[in-house]
Amino acid sequence: MTLEDQLQLLQNTVIFRDVLESDLLELMRQSQTKSFQAGQTVYLESDVASSIFVVSSGYFKTFSSSPDGARELTLSVEGSRQILGLVAAFLDPRIHAASCITLETGVLLCIPIDVLSLALERSPSLASASLRFLANRHSKLIRRTEQLFFSELNQRFGAYLLEHVSSEGFQLPTNSELASQLGTVPELVSRKLGEFYRQGFIRLEKRRVWLENSDALKFSLGIE
């Protein structure tokens, strides 16, 4: 990634959008780009955080695992111009509260937290944008928690299909990945897919799914 690419990336990333170009160039001078292969770990829960990451390309999953490692819960999936690891930068000690892996080949701009801290002191606009970003992330996490605790799997899975499926169909991730996103286990994902298929809501072909009757699915979920 060229310096021009890095500058454009930061200028199109929400917390850096209003920062002076001279300050962005100073951040870039002390940052580095790093490529990741699919499935590669960016950081693990309880790791000491030394950098934040701006996504240049690819998709990165942030998740939390059960103590025995048997189950995991997807907290977010971030793509281009999104930020990873910012929460840990404001903690004392700076410890990641969740893990992050690459879902596909991607590139991150790695900004050392100490460098970011100096930039925050110099730039009120960066400090303000960072607070707004963290507040928005907190709000999303609350809504995610409410969805998991106060809605049934039937509703969560149905809403997921309605959100993702198009007329061209949608390639489903593995049942394990779906379970992680929906807050359940792979066996129940498989069972629910079968139920939706038998009810005529969806058509399945080699993990690709089409909505056959979205109105009926919405009605079954109580969605108008």
Side-chain angles (χ1 to χ4, degrees):
M1 187 163 51
T2 67
L3 289 177
E4 184 178 349
D5 291 336
Q6 292 180 30
L7 180 60
Q8 186 175 21
L9 172 64
L10 291 179
Q11 288 174 332
N12 286 282
T13 301
V14 60
I15 71 169
F16 299 108
R17 195 167 292 156
D18 297 321
V19 177
L20 294 175
E21 184 172 314
S22 58
D23 290 335
L24 293 181
L25 291 172
E26 179 63 20
L27 277 175
M28 292 160 48
R29 188 180 69 81
Q30 302 182 73
S31 303
Q32 61 178 334
T33 58
K34 186 174 180 180
S35 298
F36 289 82
Q37 300 301 313
Q40 187 174 349
T41 298
V42 181
Y43 53 80
L44 293 173
E45 185 175 347
S46 299
D47 278 355
V48 176
S50 58
S51 300
I52 70 163
F53 308 91
V54 182
V55 181
S56 174
S57 63
Y59 286 93
F60 296 80
K61 180 179 75 170
T62 302
F63 65 96
S64 182
S65 299
S66 61
D68 61 2
R71 294 179 61 184
E72 68 177 43
L73 174 64
T74 298
L75 301 174
S76 67
V77 175
E78 308 294 353
S80 179
R81 301 187 300 277
Q82 299 300 311
I83 303 168
L84 305 170
L86 184 62
V87 172
F90 291 88
L91 298 177
D92 186 17
R94 295 169 177 169
I95 301 295
H96 288 294
S99 301
C100 181
I101 64 170
T102 318
L103 294 179
E104 62 181 33
T105 300
V107 176
L108 295 176
L109 177 64
C110 311
I111 303 174
I113 290 177
D114 290 339
V115 174
L116 175 68
S117 296
L118 292 175
L120 288 166
E121 293 177 5
R122 291 195 303 264
S123 175
S125 63
L126 176 57
S128 177
S130 297
L131 287 173
R132 289 195 300 272
F133 176 88
L134 292 172
N136 184 57
R137 180 61 57 83
H138 179 68
S139 177
K140 287 182 178 179
L141 186 57
I142 289 176
R143 291 197 297 273
R144 171 87 168 129
T145 303
E146 288 175 341
Q147 181 188 52
L148 292 174
F149 274 92
F150 302 132
S151 64
E152 300 295 333
L153 175 59
N154 191 61
Q155 295 172 306
R156 300 198 301 274
F157 202 173
Y160 174 90
L161 292 173
L162 289 167
E163 179 182 355
H164 288 86
V165 177
S166 67
S167 59
E168 294 79 25
F170 171 69
Q171 190 69 30
L172 287 171
T174 65
N175 284 353
S176 294
E177 179 61 34
L178 275 172
S180 174
Q181 295 189 47
L182 298 171
T184 185
V185 295
E187 292 79 6
L188 291 181
V189 167
S190 179
R191 186 184 305 171
K192 186 55 60 178
L193 272 173
E195 290 178 8
F196 284 162
Y197 175 79
R198 288 190 295 274
Q199 290 172 300
F201 297 154
I202 61 173
R203 173 165 57 93
L204 277 169
E205 292 181 12
K206 296 182 179 179
R207 300 297 295 180
R208 196 165 191 86
V209 62
W210 288 262
L211 275 180
E212 292 288 89
N213 195 333
S214 59
D215 289 338
L217 177 58
K218 289 178 181 178
F219 180 80
S220 73
L221 301 175
I223 300 175
E224 296 183 357

